[in-house]
Amino acid sequence: MNSVPDVSADAPTAADPTAPRSLGSFTTLQLGGPPQRLVVAADVDGLVERVREAALLQSPTLILAGGSNVVIDDAGFPGTVVLVRSRGVRVVAEGAGTVTVRVEAGEPWDELVAATVEAGWPGLECLSGIPGSTGATPIQNVGAYGQEVAETITSVRVYDRVADEVRTMPAEECRFGYRGSVFKHNDRWVVLSVDFRLARSPLSTPIRYAELARTLGVEVGDRVPLAAARAAVLALRAGKGMVLNPADPDTRSVGSFFTNPVLDPAAYALFRERARDAGEPPCWPGPDGVVKVSAAWLIDRAGFPKGYSGPGGVAISTKHTLALTNRGGGSTRALLALAAEIRDGVRERFGVTLHPEPVLVNCAL
C-alpha cells in the first residue's frame, strides 16, 4: 500500500487568492462561515510547522480534515484553519497472523477501510462508509455496527502543543471510551498518524451487531467474507443516508448528531417509569449496571420523526432520526436551534438529556 498524493481541487495553498470564503466548502454539512486565515498541510512536517506558525502568531487554531464531524458557526472561525492533506499508508510491523499499518492523518477513512478489506486484513470492515479522515478516528473513537477503532489502534503519533514536541502515545494513554478519547475537546494534541494492528484473514471479525447479522443472513458471532461484510455495511448506511451522495440532501449531515445516552441504574429506572406508555426502547446493558439507550428511539417517541423540519432550511433526515441535515440554504444557527428543540423535547418527555456527538466550533448548543 503506497502513499497516494492528494490531487483534489478544493485544497488551496496558503497564498491562494481563490481560497473559499466559507468553511462549508470543507464540511459534510456544507455550513460554516469564513476563517480568518486558511493554510494547508500536505505532510506531517508541514502539519507541525503550520501549527507552530499559528502559535507564534498567537492565533487560535482549528485542525480540519474531512469535516465530517464538525459544526462550524455561521461567523466562521476567528483564527487559523489548518487543512490536513497528508496521505500515506504503510506496513510497519508483521506478526503471527497480524499486520500493523501506519496511516497518515489526512488519509480518507473509507479508502483505508476498502484497502484493508482488499488486502485481507479484518478489523475495520464494519466501519465502512464513514466519511472523514483517519486522523479524526481516534479523537472520536469512531464506531459502528459492533466495531470501534480503539480495538485495533496500538498507538497514535501526535504533536504536543504544550511540550512543543512530536511523540507517540500508546493506546492506553489515549483513554478511549464510548465516542471519546483524551483528544476530544482538548486541543493540546494534533494527531499526525495512527497505527492499527489488524488480523490476516479472508473472514471478518465476529459479527456483533444484530441488524448487520440479519442483513448478512447469519447469527451474531458468525464470521463472513470481508467483502460481504463491507458490502452489507455500505448498504445499511446508504439506506440511512449515511454514505455521502451529492444528489441526496439526507447525506448533508454529520451522521449521528446525538450520542446514545448511557444511564446509571437509578436514571434508567426513572426513564423506564416515564417511558411505560411509549413501547419497548432498544437498550444495551453495560458494566456496573449502566444501560445505553437508543437516542434515535428517544427522538422519535418524543415527537420528532424522520423528515421533521425546523425553520431555515434544516430538518431531520428522511432516512434516519439521528441525522440533522442541511436541506440547502440552511445555517448553523438554524441547525443548532433544531438540535436544541429536539434535546429539550426528549428531556421533557423522558427525563433524559441528549448530548451532541460532533465537535461544535465557535458555537454552542
Side-chain angles (χ1 to χ4, degrees):
M1 303 172 73
N2 299 317
S3 174
V4 180
D6 180 17
V7 294
S8 60
D10 64 350
T13 65
D16 186 352
T18 65
R21 297 177 63 97
S22 169
L23 289 172
S25 303
F26 304 107
T27 70
T28 53
L29 266 172
Q30 297 180 21
L31 296 177
Q36 185 179 78
R37 179 171 175 262
L38 184 69
V39 297
V40 176
D43 54 31
V44 169
D45 290 342
L47 181 50
V48 173
E49 181 182 347
R50 297 290 186 239
V51 175
R52 281 176 172 154
E53 286 175 352
L56 289 172
L57 293 171
Q58 297 184 326
S59 173
T61 308
L62 171 65
I63 310 299
L64 187 63
S68 62
N69 198 48
V70 292
V71 178
I72 301 175
D73 190 68
D74 296 317
F77 184 72
T80 298
V81 174
V82 181
L83 292 177
V84 181
R85 295 295 182 258
S86 56
R87 299 290 298 270
V89 182
R90 62 190 178 95
V91 174
V92 294
E94 297 185 67
T98 67
V99 60
T100 300
V101 293
R102 180 163 299 157
V103 188
E104 301 302 318
E107 189 72 22
W109 175 252
D110 193 53
E111 291 183 22
L112 170 66
V113 177
T116 61
V117 167
E118 184 177 354
W121 300 339
L124 305 179
E125 64 279 0
C126 294
L127 305 177
S128 294
I130 296 175
S133 68
T134 298
T137 61
I139 298 172
Q140 190 74 7
N141 187 15
V142 165
Y145 296 103
Q147 284 183 343
E148 289 182 336
V149 292
E151 298 166 341
T152 54
I153 291 176
T154 59
S155 63
V156 180
R157 192 169 180 235
V158 300
Y159 170 59
D160 184 335
R161 297 190 207 187
V162 174
D164 188 24
E165 66 179 13
V166 173
R167 62 181 294 255
T168 297
M169 296 177 65
E172 55 268 23
E173 286 188 26
C174 299
R175 300 181 205 163
F176 291 122
Y178 173 60
R179 299 300 175 267
S181 70
V182 71
F183 309 114
K184 192 171 182 180
H185 305 308
N186 187 334
D187 63 1
R188 173 174 178 171
W189 296 280
V190 178
V191 175
L192 305 177
S193 66
V194 187
D195 283 9
F196 299 89
R197 182 182 293 129
L198 306 172
R200 291 183 183 272
S201 172
L203 299 179
S204 69
T205 58
I207 301 299
R208 301 173 185 164
Y209 203 79
E211 182 185 23
L212 180 57
R214 289 193 299 269
T215 300
L216 288 163
V218 301
E219 298 295 324
V220 171
D222 287 349
R223 302 173 71 193
V224 300
L226 274 174
R230 173 171 166 79
V233 169
L234 287 172
L236 284 170
R237 289 185 63 85
K240 299 173 182 178
M242 297 292 188
V243 176
L244 292 180
N245 179 352
D248 184 359
D250 276 332
T251 71
R252 201 177 298 135
S253 75
V254 289
S256 298
F257 192 91
F258 295 104
T259 58
N260 292 322
V262 178
L263 308 179
D264 63 31
Y268 181 66
L270 289 173
F271 157 67
R272 290 308 301 261
E273 180 66 22
R274 297 183 69 160
R276 280 185 303 172
D277 60 347
E280 187 64 24
C283 298
W284 300 272
D288 301 320
V290 303
V291 180
K292 183 165 64 176
V293 180
S294 168
W297 185 92
L298 291 168
I299 292 167
D300 181 70
R301 298 306 169 93
F304 303 98
K306 296 172 186 176
Y308 181 89
S309 296
V314 298
I316 294 176
S317 165
T318 64
K319 301 181 181 71
H320 197 291
T321 318
L322 269 180
L324 306 188
T325 64
N326 170 18
R327 311 307 291 184
S331 66
T332 300
R333 180 178 181 180
L335 188 86
L336 293 177
L338 175 60
E341 181 185 1
I342 293 168
R343 177 201 60 197
D344 295 346
V346 168
R347 184 164 51 206
E348 181 179 353
R349 174 66 179 84
F350 295 112
V352 175
T353 300
L354 297 178
H355 297 282
E357 184 167 324
V359 176
L360 306 184
V361 177
N362 201 31
C363 56
L365 176 60

